Amino acid sequence: MRVIVLGSAAGGGLPQWNCGCPNCQDARAHGPGRTQSCVAVSADGERWVLLNASPDLRMQLAARRELWPRGARGTPISAVVCTDGEIDHTLGLLLLRESETRLPVYAPTGVTELLEREWPVFPLLQAYAGVEPRVLPDGQTVGLADRSGATLGIACTAVPVARRPPRYARQAPAATFDVGLRLVAERTGGTLAYIPTAGAVDDTVRAIAAGADLLLFDGTFWSDGELRAAGADAPTAREMGHLPVGGPGGSLDQLPRLGVKRTVLVHINNTNPMLCRSSAERAQVEAAGIVVGDDGMEFEL
Ligand code: MLT
Ligand code: MN
Ligand code: ZN
């Protein structure tokens, strides 16, 4: 299974339009920036599945030959899987509206509900080619398939993770609105654990990650009060449902014990000091054998 990190930043990207933190200033002055959270996977190198659909999808697709059309019209993108209903993980669906066929969109029940109602991306897209919502039942393994039902060679298990609903959701959805994914290539057994948002390293995370060849994990914030320290009127990382990487009880203490072959942090907020290559925080991550994810990283599992 091939895995490409199309975008490694959290919502806002790097630089974020209204942020003057050191990382954003540095990215404006020296580049390169980072695009928002999105991953592409493929079992055959031909047909691709997007894990989340970021607001930067247009640029992300233009940058990768694998994702270009093969002929006059068309796309190798065969399906999308949304792990949550956040704007940074779903706005890109609107950017796929030129599609000529209904795009299969896998998501947990609560996310499908959000996209039908409070953030009505699905109804809007009905005026275009439309999407085919496919619900991912909690904890059950589903074989991903393209629009015609042909298998894509990837088994997907979605498990609810500790989080809180999106800020725009006035009523917390009763159903699951945030999941981690365990994706297994049916031919090779290569296993990706994809958990871009998580408020804890708990039994759920341990189950999704067990024995995986690669874990892509929530690297949003280094510390709990980071956004506020950067001048934003914002809740803490934990209140937002993101376990900080650093500090006591942070993910850095726990991830090395999961027994995963490789762990890469993704969905990294622009304020996170580990983005700076010369920082003490970056050195700490590397000393733990963990990798700070970057746009364009590729893996073969
Ligand atoms: C999150 O991951 O917590 C959200 O995407 C934050 C946001 O941009 O609203
Ligand atoms: Mn996000
Ligand atoms: Zn910033």
Side-chain angles (χ1 to χ4, degrees):
M1 178 159 57
R2 287 186 61 197
V3 179
I4 305 175
V5 177
L6 298 178
S8 58
L14 175 74
Q16 178 175 312
W17 67 284
N18 64 344
C19 187
C21 78
N23 290 333
C24 285
Q25 286 185 44
D26 186 62
R28 282 188 194 97
H30 309 292
R34 286 168 180 258
T35 63
Q36 293 166 85
S37 178
C38 195
V39 170
V41 297
S42 175
D44 60 10
E46 292 296 323
R47 297 166 308 158
W48 290 81
V49 178
L50 296 179
L51 309 181
N52 294 312
S54 96
D56 298 317
L57 200 50
R58 184 182 159 280
M59 283 163 63
Q60 291 168 337
L61 300 184
R64 295 300 309 210
R65 177 178 292 273
E66 299 87 338
L67 304 174
W68 294 352
R70 308 282 191 251
R73 279 270 164 167
T75 176
I77 297 166
S78 302
V80 180
V81 183
C82 290
T83 59
D84 61 42
E86 297 283 356
I87 289 173
D88 60 346
H89 277 165
T90 54
L91 190 139
L93 292 171
L94 296 176
L95 308 181
L96 300 176
R97 68 189 175 283
E98 293 91 353
S99 173
E100 294 184 329
T101 53
R102 278 154 68 89
L103 187 68
V105 179
Y106 292 88
T109 333
V111 173
T112 304
E113 273 173 28
L114 291 170
L115 296 175
E116 292 282 3
R117 277 184 280 277
E118 290 206 76
W119 163 223
V121 169
F122 289 171
L124 275 168
L125 286 171
Q126 292 315 320
Y128 303 82
V131 300
E132 187 184 314
R134 294 182 180 167
V135 170
L136 289 171
D138 291 356
Q140 284 177 41
T141 301
V142 168
L144 299 181
D146 71 6
R147 199 182 65 89
S148 69
T151 175
L152 295 168
I154 299 173
C156 171
T157 315
V159 188
V161 291
R163 273 279 279 168
R164 56 102 193 87
R167 217 199 291 195
Y168 68 76
R170 286 176 298 272
Q171 292 175 335
T176 302
F177 52 83
D178 220 299
V179 292
L181 304 177
R182 186 173 171 89
L183 297 160
V184 182
E186 285 162 355
R187 194 173 51 82
T188 63
T191 302
L192 166 66
Y194 177 58
I195 312 176
T197 60
V201 175
D202 53 14
D203 286 347
T204 299
V205 167
R206 277 185 274 277
I208 299 170
D213 298 295
L214 173 65
L215 167 63
L216 299 177
F217 193 78
D218 185 337
T220 312
F221 297 113
W222 182 263
S223 57
D224 219 16
E226 182 175 314
L227 267 188
R228 220 169 286 162
D233 177 17
T236 66
R238 283 185 170 85
E239 283 165 359
M240 291 177 74
H242 296 291
L243 178 67
V245 177
S251 60
L252 206 55
D253 280 350
Q254 308 181 64
L255 294 174
R257 291 202 298 267
L258 293 182
V260 172
K261 284 202 191 117
R262 275 173 295 190
T263 300
V264 176
L265 298 171
V266 294
H267 192 276
I268 305 166
N269 201 59
N270 56 73
T271 50
N272 192 323
M274 74 181 182
L275 286 177
C276 176
R277 288 178 193 282
S278 57
S279 65
E281 290 85 354
R282 171 69 73 106
Q284 236 181 289
V285 174
E286 288 171 356
I290 289 173
V291 173
V292 174
D294 212 343
D295 292 20
M297 272 184 178
E298 282 192 61
F299 304 90
E300 178 79 50
L301 310 182

